[in-house]
Amino acid sequence: MSNPQALARRLGTFDAVVIGLGSMIGAGVFAAFTPAATAAGSGLLIGLVVAAAVAFCNATSSAQLAAAYPTSGGTYIYGRERLGPWSGYLAGWGFVIGKTASAAAMAMTFAAYAAPAGWERPVAVAAVVVLAAVNYHGVTRTAGLTRLLVLLVLAALAIAVAACWGGSSPALANIPGDGLLAHGWYGILQSAGLLFFAFAGYARIATMGEEVRNPRRAIPRAIGIALGITVILYAVIAVTLLATLGPDGVAGTPTPLAAAVGAGTSGWAVPVVRVGAAVAALGALLALIAGLGRTTLAMARHHDLPHWLAAVHPRYRVPHRAEIALAVVICVIVAVADLRGAIGFSSLGVLIYYLIANIAAFTQPAPDRRYPKALQVFGVLACLVLLATLPPLSAALGILMFAAGIVLRVVRLRS
């Protein structure tokens, strides 16, 4: 007899790939290159290679762990199983708190593109409510809407890239080879950190491990495919932007893709880019709500969050209480805060999350191993290096976030 508190396995490999793409090809692809170019100039291309290497190591760790522990919760579960309750808790806490702020920021990003002036907050709240309702009605609804959003974003990006190369005068000469190291390795590592955060959403696939059919085979494949597609896409866009605008031009605009399209004779495509950015923000928000719900469910099952959040809807087989609670929190944050430029503390949470994932994968026994331990060692070292490059304010906010989480767990354990 099936467990009424278990989620339903309704996703195939293709669905898992699409959810990963929806997480990674978010609004960051339209904006992340500006701070990356500010930090490294044309050296952001090296930063992209570094970010891809770090992401690959982290992704292989997540895939190896997901195959051994195909349940909801991602690194929260892996940390608990391999390293102990505190490690799992820190990973889960960092994910839930950091990604809740990211979800609010994605809602505001969507509203910035889609809402009339003065209506940004109501439109952002409406977006959260609508997407939470989609998630509430089952994971197949989530996957179906994600497929549509990803298709629209890919179409917008394809039009933008074609418009840049066909409507202006891009030239590879605008990417100075002797300038790749002009900002030094520290700037390159900063750009790597920014670009890593922009496409680190492959963990969303692992957090939904309880809803994927044949998870031991499907999840590792889906993570690899989604990451590979995203890295190629980011590389194409990076070269296009640098060839069209040059490093200074990319660094000088908050909307580099729209600026690159508008630089030539294809100004008609600028609205397409804006629509694509809005849709990408929706896709990222949808995936964030789904991933947050599953991690919250796992933490509630182990009493690291209030246990009533562990309920699974008898018909839709989703963590409905967790999703409703998270939607309310996200809406409150949207209503009272401006997080579009102030969610740096989530960066530290993401890096701690993957640091724990790499250490957990390193401890797995031979029968569960799919990749050499060297990849996990590199992943650990890379996470530590990127942690060291975080801006001081981001690091301080992240430390305060984790300190609050530690205090809350100590209080719960003593009560």
Side-chain angles (χ1 to χ4, degrees):
M1 182 179 294
S2 62
N3 180 0
Q5 292 304 304
L7 304 181
R9 296 195 182 278
R10 295 171 174 167
L11 301 178
T13 301
F14 178 76
D15 294 319
V17 169
V18 170
I19 287 174
L21 289 175
S23 302
M24 288 185 274
I25 307 175
V29 74
F30 294 88
F33 291 103
T34 293
T38 301
S42 58
L44 73 85
L45 293 176
I46 301 176
L48 181 62
V49 173
V50 173
V54 176
F56 175 75
C57 292
N58 294 342
T60 56
S61 292
S62 295
Q64 181 173 289
L65 289 159
Y69 304 100
T71 187
S72 290
T75 300
Y76 168 73
I77 294 296
Y78 312 149
R80 282 186 64 92
E81 294 292 334
R82 301 303 314 167
L83 305 173
W86 269 107
S87 294
Y89 176 80
L90 291 176
W93 177 260
F95 184 88
V96 170
I97 298 301
K99 292 304 182 181
T100 298
S102 294
M106 283 298 102
M108 290 298 292
T109 300
F110 164 73
Y113 282 102
W119 285 84
E120 288 87 355
R121 292 187 193 277
V123 169
V125 169
V128 174
V129 171
V130 170
L131 296 186
V134 172
N135 271 308
Y136 187 98
H137 284 82
V139 71
T140 53
R141 300 284 181 89
T142 302
L145 180 56
T146 302
R147 280 196 292 270
L148 174 61
L149 295 176
V150 168
L151 180 63
L152 291 174
V153 173
L154 291 176
L157 290 173
I159 291 171
V161 170
C164 286
W165 288 98
S168 58
S169 302
L172 295 180
N174 291 331
I175 311 175
D178 57 353
L180 291 176
L181 300 177
H183 291 250
W185 279 103
Y186 185 79
I188 289 172
L189 290 175
Q190 275 197 322
S191 73
L194 292 163
L195 294 169
F196 170 75
F197 299 132
F199 62 76
Y202 46 83
R204 222 74 72 247
I205 301 171
T207 62
M208 303 181 74
E210 198 171 315
E211 295 161 281
V212 177
R213 297 189 298 269
N214 191 13
R216 296 181 184 277
R217 178 172 179 268
I219 293 177
R221 289 183 63 192
I223 289 175
I225 293 170
L227 179 60
I229 292 172
T230 303
V231 170
I232 292 171
L233 181 64
Y234 267 67
V236 169
I237 292 173
V239 170
T240 299
L241 291 177
L242 290 171
T244 304
L245 300 175
D248 293 337
V250 177
T253 173
T255 55
L257 200 55
V261 171
T265 59
S266 300
W268 58 267
V270 173
V272 175
V273 175
R274 292 185 62 83
V275 171
V279 173
L282 280 183
L285 177 58
L286 180 63
L288 280 167
I289 293 173
L292 280 165
R294 276 65 184 175
T295 302
T296 300
L297 168 71
M299 296 183 74
R301 283 172 171 172
H302 291 90
H303 300 276
D304 280 330
L305 289 175
H307 189 62
W308 64 272
L309 293 171
V312 173
H313 195 283
R315 177 182 175 186
Y316 300 121
R317 303 291 288 276
V318 297
H320 59 298
R321 290 181 184 172
E323 291 186 343
I324 292 172
L326 286 162
V328 170
V329 172
I330 294 168
C331 288
V332 169
I333 295 173
V334 167
V336 302
D338 184 0
L339 294 181
R340 283 170 289 181
I343 57 168
F345 70 87
S346 67
S347 300
L348 188 139
V350 170
L351 284 170
I352 296 295
Y353 185 89
Y354 286 117
L355 176 67
I356 293 171
N358 281 303
I359 296 172
F362 183 85
T363 68
Q364 286 184 277
D368 290 337
R369 301 204 61 79
R370 291 169 174 258
Y371 305 99
K373 286 189 173 183
L375 289 177
Q376 286 110 54
V377 173
F378 181 81
V380 167
L381 295 175
C383 287
L384 292 173
V385 169
L386 293 182
L387 278 169
T389 67
L390 286 178
L393 178 59
S394 297
L397 289 172
I399 291 170
L400 287 175
M401 175 188 74
F402 277 98
I406 290 169
V407 170
L408 286 175
R409 188 165 196 266
V410 170
V411 170
R412 287 185 64 85
L413 290 174
R414 290 182 177 179
S415 61

